[in-house]
C-alpha cells in the first residue's frame, strides 16, 4: 500500500498492511537523528521512521515554520530573535539547552477597550498575501517512490483570537463582552475560510487533509468551558468542516490538553482525525476513549511525551505503543504517533523503539 492508501483505509476502518504512522519532532530532534543515523536530511529521517504523513507546514500556532511563510509571505525579522506576522503579532525565539521555543511577546489588540477601538484594526486579506499556484508542484515533489498523506494547516480560530487580543483580554471578552468576542471571531473566521478556499482550489486534489489547530485544553481542564465553546466556536467550526469537505479532503483536529467534555461535539461537526490524545490530561484510558468515540472518528497520537518517552525504557515505549494499537485500533481507525512533537530530551533509543512498532 502507498502511505495515502494506508491512511485512507485506516480512516475507513478497512484492513491495512501495517499501522498507519505520523512521525513528528522538533527540528533539533531531526538534526540529532540525522547525525545518529547518518542520513542526509529530515526527509530521509521521515522515511526511516516510516511516516505516512507529510505536513506542508504548521504556521499559525507556531509562528512561522513553513506554512504561510512558504507561499508568498515571510515573517518580518525585527531583530533580537523577534518575528512579526501579517496580523502584527510578535513572537520571540527563546533558546534553552538543546533547542528553542517561540513565545508571543506582543498582541496588537491587547489593552484595547470597546468595540469601536477594535474596529480600527485592519484584518489581513489572504488574497493580497498568498500565492498558492506552486502548491501542486510542491506536493508532487514529496512523492518520490511513494504517495504520502498530505496535510496543511487551515484554521486556528480560537488561538488566533487570543494571540491578537492577549489571552486574558480575550477570555474576559468571552465572559462579559459578547460583541467584542464575536467581532474578533467572525473576522478571523472569514480570513480562515478564504485562506482555506485558496489552498484547496489551487491544490487540485494534491492535499488530503486540512488541519484545525486550536488548543482548547490545559493539563487540568478546558481553557474555556464547554458552554463557551458551543456558544462561540462550534457552529463556525461546523461550517468550516462542511466547506473543507466540499473539496473532498479530510479534517484533522488538533487540541492539546483536557477536551473530554467536547469530544462528542467534535464528532458531531464532522472531524475525521482527532489529535494528539494526551491521556493524562484527558483523564481517560485508551479503552475509555475508544468507548466514547465508538469508532466514529480516527484517533491520532497518544504516546506520552511528558513522562514515558523521556523517562521510560525502550521496552516500556514498545509496550505502550502495542497497547495503543490494540485498544485504539481494534477496528482500524488509529494512527500511531506521539502526544506532541518529540522534544530534545527524548532518548534516541526510545525514538527507535517507536519506529520498531510501526508494523
Amino acid at each position: 500500500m502507498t502511505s495515502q492508501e494506508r491512511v485512507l483505509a485506516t480512516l475507513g476502518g478497512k484492513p491495512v498492511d501495517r499501522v498507519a504512522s505520523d512521525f513528528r519532532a522538533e527540528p533539533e530532534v531531526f538534526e540529532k537523528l540525522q547525525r545518529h543515523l547518518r542520513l542526509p536530511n529530515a526527509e530521509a529521517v521521515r522515511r526511516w521512521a516510516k511516516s505516512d504523513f507529510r505536513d506542508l507546514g504548521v504556521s499559525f500556532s507556531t509562528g512561522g515554520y513553513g506554512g504561510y511563510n512558504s507561499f508568498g509571505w515571510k515573517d518580518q525579522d525585527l531583530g533580537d530573535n523577534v518575528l512579526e506576522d501579517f496580523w502584527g503579532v510578535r513572537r520571540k525565539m527563546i533558546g534553552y539547552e538543546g533547542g528553542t521555543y517561540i513565545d508571543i511577546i506582543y498582541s496588537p489588540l491587547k489593552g484595547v477597550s470597546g468595540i469601536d477601538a477594535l474596529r480600527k484594526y485592519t484584518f489581513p486579506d489572504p488574497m493580497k498575501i498568498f500565492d498558492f499556484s506552486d502548491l501542486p508542484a510542491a506536493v508532487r515533489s514529496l512523492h518520490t517512490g511513494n504517495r504520502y498523506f498530505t496535510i496543511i494547516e487551515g484554521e486556528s480560530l480560537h488561538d488566533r483570537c487570543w494571540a491578537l487580543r492577549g489571552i486574558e483580554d480575550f477570555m474576559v471578552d468571552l465572559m462579559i463582552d459578547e460583541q467584542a468576542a464575536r467581532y474578533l471571531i467572525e473576522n478571523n473566521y472569514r480570513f480562515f475560510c478564504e485562506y482555506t478556499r485558496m489552498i484547496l482550489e489551487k491544490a487540485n486534489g494534491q492535499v488530503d487533509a486540512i488541519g484545525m489547530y486550536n488548543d482548547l485544553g490545559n493539563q487540568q481542564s478546558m481553557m474555556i468551558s464547554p458552554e463557551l465553546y458551543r456558544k462561540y466556536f462550534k457552529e463556525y467550526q461546523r461550517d468550516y468542516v462542511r466547506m473543507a469537505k466540499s473539496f473532498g479532503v479530510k479534517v484533522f483536529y488538533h487540541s492539546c490538553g483536557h477536551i473530554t467534555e467536547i469530544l462528542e461535539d467534535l464528532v458531531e461537526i464532522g472531524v475525521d482525525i482527532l489529535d494528539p490524545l494526551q491521556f493524562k490530561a484527558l483523564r481517560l484510558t485508551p479503552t475509555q476513549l475508544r468507548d466514547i468515540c465508538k469508532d466514529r472518528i480516527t484517533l491520532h497520537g497518544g504516546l506520552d511525551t511528558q513522562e514515558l518517552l523521556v523517562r521510560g525504557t525502550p521496552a516500556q515505549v514498545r509496550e505502550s505503543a502495542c497497547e495503543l494499537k490494540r485498544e485504539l485500533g481494534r477496528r482500524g481507525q488509529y494512527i500511531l504517533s506521539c502526544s506532541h512533537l518529540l522534544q530534545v530530551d527524548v532518548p534516541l533509543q526510545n525514538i527507535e523503539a517507536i519506529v520498531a512498532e510501526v508494523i
Side-chain angles (χ1 to χ4, degrees):
M1 305 181 83
T2 68
S3 287
Q4 183 198 47
E5 290 169 343
R6 185 176 298 112
V7 175
L8 291 176
T10 298
L11 293 174
K14 298 177 181 178
V16 292
D17 57 341
R18 65 160 172 82
V19 66
S21 68
D22 185 10
F23 185 82
R24 308 183 287 181
E26 294 288 357
E28 295 85 0
V29 176
F30 275 101
E31 292 169 5
K32 285 175 63 176
L33 284 167
Q34 283 175 233
R35 293 191 299 269
H36 176 67
L37 300 168
R38 299 181 180 180
L39 294 173
N41 50 43
E43 175 58 22
V45 173
R46 293 185 186 95
R47 295 183 184 186
W48 164 80
K50 296 173 278 190
S51 182
D52 293 306
F53 280 61
R54 290 298 182 273
D55 193 331
L56 302 174
V58 176
S59 56
F60 301 112
S61 57
T62 61
Y65 290 122
Y68 58 67
N69 283 274
S70 302
F71 299 100
W73 171 263
K74 193 73 175 176
D75 283 345
Q76 305 304 302
D77 188 345
L78 303 183
D80 193 28
N81 292 320
V82 175
L83 301 174
E84 181 177 284
D85 65 24
F86 51 82
W87 270 285
V89 175
R90 296 175 187 170
R91 294 173 170 85
K92 185 178 178 69
M93 297 183 69
I94 300 172
Y96 64 94
E97 185 177 354
T100 59
Y101 68 94
I102 299 174
D103 201 9
I104 293 176
I105 61 169
Y106 175 75
S107 299
L109 296 179
K110 184 177 182 179
V112 170
S113 180
I115 189 66
D116 291 337
L118 289 178
R119 286 177 175 145
K120 294 178 182 178
Y121 174 81
T122 301
F123 286 85
D125 180 354
M127 297 289 291
K128 297 178 179 178
I129 298 172
F130 302 108
D131 179 4
F132 292 104
S133 57
D134 292 337
L135 179 59
V139 176
R140 285 194 297 269
S141 70
L142 296 173
H143 299 319
T144 305
N146 195 352
R147 176 39 167 113
Y148 296 102
F149 186 84
T150 53
I151 181 172
I152 189 168
E153 181 172 349
E155 182 260 20
S156 187
L157 186 56
H158 172 263
D159 290 18
R160 175 50 46 182
C161 287
W162 70 253
L164 262 175
R165 186 82 166 103
I167 194 164
E168 292 182 2
D169 286 4
F170 185 59
M171 295 299 165
V172 171
D173 290 341
L174 292 173
M175 294 296 294
I176 67 173
D177 194 342
E178 182 173 343
Q179 187 180 28
R182 290 202 181 278
Y183 183 79
L184 280 173
I185 293 167
E186 288 170 3
N187 279 278
N188 279 315
Y189 176 71
R190 195 172 299 119
F191 170 89
F192 284 120
C193 278
E194 186 58 37
Y195 171 80
T196 302
R197 284 194 187 96
M198 290 175 63
I199 290 173
L200 296 178
E201 286 171 357
K202 293 293 186 181
N204 194 28
Q206 294 296 311
V207 170
D208 297 307
I210 281 290
M212 301 173 70
Y213 292 79
N214 294 275
D215 283 337
L216 296 170
N218 59 37
Q219 198 71 20
Q220 303 298 326
S221 65
M222 289 191 65
M223 291 176 64
I224 60 174
S225 70
E227 292 75 21
L228 287 177
Y229 168 75
R230 294 168 189 140
K231 176 179 179 178
Y232 285 108
F233 295 99
K234 181 177 178 178
E235 294 310 312
Y236 285 111
Q237 294 195 329
R238 186 198 303 274
D239 288 344
Y240 180 86
V241 169
R242 185 182 299 118
M243 180 273 294
K245 288 192 170 187
S246 72
F247 288 89
V249 299
K250 303 298 183 181
V251 175
F252 176 103
Y253 198 104
H254 168 94
S255 176
C256 291
H258 180 87
I259 56 167
T260 304
E261 289 86 354
I262 63 165
L263 290 175
E264 191 66 37
D265 298 277
L266 299 180
V267 171
E268 181 190 329
I269 66 175
V271 170
D272 297 294
I273 305 171
L274 179 65
D275 170 78
L277 316 183
Q278 293 178 319
F279 287 106
K280 292 181 185 300
L282 291 170
R283 296 196 290 280
L284 296 171
T285 66
T287 303
Q288 288 169 332
L289 178 62
R290 173 53 74 196
D291 289 344
I292 290 171
C293 294
K294 298 182 177 68
D295 303 313
R296 297 171 296 165
I297 192 170
T298 295
L299 300 171
H300 176 288
L303 275 172
D304 175 36
T305 58
Q306 290 179 283
E307 294 184 17
L308 171 69
L309 291 177
V310 177
R311 301 181 180 89
T313 65
Q316 290 171 325
V317 171
R318 294 195 67 165
E319 180 181 357
S320 179
C322 284
E323 179 191 13
L324 291 170
K325 291 189 294 182
R326 180 179 64 251
E327 297 301 325
L328 299 184
R330 283 176 294 176
R331 300 184 187 176
Q333 294 184 277
Y334 174 63
I335 296 161
L336 181 64
S337 192
C338 300
S339 65
H340 202 284
L341 300 183
L342 292 169
Q343 306 294 306
V344 295
D345 56 355
V346 176
L348 293 175
Q349 294 86 346
N350 284 352
I351 298 176
E352 292 172 328
I354 299 170
V355 175
E357 283 301 322
V358 184
I359 52 177

